[in-house]
Amino acid sequence: MPVTNFSHPDPYKYQTGFDSHHETEAIEGALPIGQNSPQKAPYGLYTEKLSGTAFTAPRHENKQTWVYRILPAAAHENFIAEDAGSYHTSMTTETHKLHHIPNQLRWNPFDLDEKVDWVHGLHLIAGSGDPTLKQGLGILMYAAGKDMGKEAFYSADGDFLIVPQHGVLDIQTELGRIILRPNEICVIPRGVRYRVTLPDGPVRGYICELYQGHYQLPELGPIGSNCLANPRDFQAPVAAFDDEEESEYKLYSKFNNTLFAARQNHTPFDVVAWHGNYYPFKYDLGRFNTIGSISFDHPDPSIFTVLTGPSDHVGTAIADFVIFPPRWLVAEGTFRPPWYHRNTMSEFMGLISGDYDAKVGGGFKPAGASLHNVMSAHGPDSGAFEGASNAELKPQKVGDGSMAFMFESALMVGVSEWGLKTCQKVQPEYNEHSWKPLKRHFVNPNKKA
């Protein structure tokens, strides 16, 4: 099993299983037996329900968790909008402030930022839809160098899929604690409150926020019942709580891509026990069971899907999270890199480590990104094409030490002002360097010499 070798130990305990009904208590007997909301919860706790779907959603789609906490989440002062300033400018998805352009885009590695914490280190790169209608997605970069203090943060807009590229995140959530490192991913559902500290210094990475529905495992179809991401390899936190009788906390809310803050005189991390199927979880990408062609032709990248955020149309995703891990190529008589293509889906790619085998020119680097929007033509750069066209087709391991990924969406994605201009990372000659050097090889048999 190619489990990632991490240098930073994980001090926390986890429950395993994807979309399972978990139950956990930090104090024995804190979970009520036989009913969800007894007249008096054990140990003088308050009962609270956290709903991720409508009450009447079909049973197989319904997501909810019952929590038993020292004080209800409602016990805080009114929220007040933070100073608009740079945060609102970097987070907005207002349609008229997004740039919808057909050009292929690529970004140099995004900077680390040691001056800000998690909340103030979030920057929207691209997005589509409207969180007020629970439609669409947002693609963000994060970069932070400071711990959050006595604070908590949640997004009312959607589920955060966090993909670390550099550094370790210690995430204290209401439902327990998670350590997250590069080559792992974490999903924090809409509304779950959490705090991020940085045990190994500055961090940087990517986020795909799903405004619509929730992430789930893709259907396997004729693959069968195994491979890709297996449910048993997903990890959810166990109950852990702080007991602080009087403590001033600041609670941040990301609400329609605007930041609000409220004060409260108690810790948000006071859940002593919980049970349900709506909770944060993490997954080690080294456990992904890759499949591929063992005869001929390069298969669709959908075989590398870890998680999907489906739309109302079967087989079409608001957001797919796809990875390109180390793997063997054995297809015979085949151009092995991705073919040149134009896709009705938008493709945003990032690189966690190493080199991506379809881009050999050096312009796609770890902590960088690219965007090939709806029907924007793209494919291997000229160097990758020439190399793959003339390579000896023997079994070949690609991607050793590398991990590239893709956020793929059925939606046309607009680029934010921050992503296009403010960050100053867009490569102005990406198209020219990648595809202009392609040579004409056509030999017309009907053309006279």
Side-chain angles (χ1 to χ4, degrees), residues 303-325:
I303 61 170
F304 303 128
T305 302
V306 181
L307 293 170
T308 184
S311 71
D312 296 333
H313 186 74
V314 175
T316 303
I318 300 300
D320 278 334
F321 174 62
V322 178
I323 63 173
F324 302 95

Side-chain angles (χ1 to χ4, degrees), residues 419-436:
L420 193 63
K421 300 176 183 178
T422 309
C423 71
Q424 299 182 342
K425 295 298 179 182
V426 172
Q427 298 177 8
E429 298 178 342
Y430 169 44
N431 185 308
E432 183 174 344
H433 287 169
S434 292
W435 299 294
K436 187 175 181 179

Side-chain angles (χ1 to χ4, degrees), residues 385-433:
F385 175 81
E386 294 297 335
S389 298
N390 298 290
E392 180 184 358
L393 294 182
K394 58 184 179 181
Q396 177 190 10
K397 183 85 176 283
V398 298
D400 260 343
S402 173
M403 182 66 75
F405 71 88
M406 179 166 63
F407 299 143
E408 187 176 61
S409 176
L411 306 177
M412 182 178 289
V413 172
V415 184
S416 71
E417 186 75 8
W418 184 88
L420 193 63
K421 300 176 183 178
T422 309
C423 71
Q424 299 182 342
K425 295 298 179 182
V426 172
Q427 298 177 8
E429 298 178 342
Y430 169 44
N431 185 308
E432 183 174 344
H433 287 169

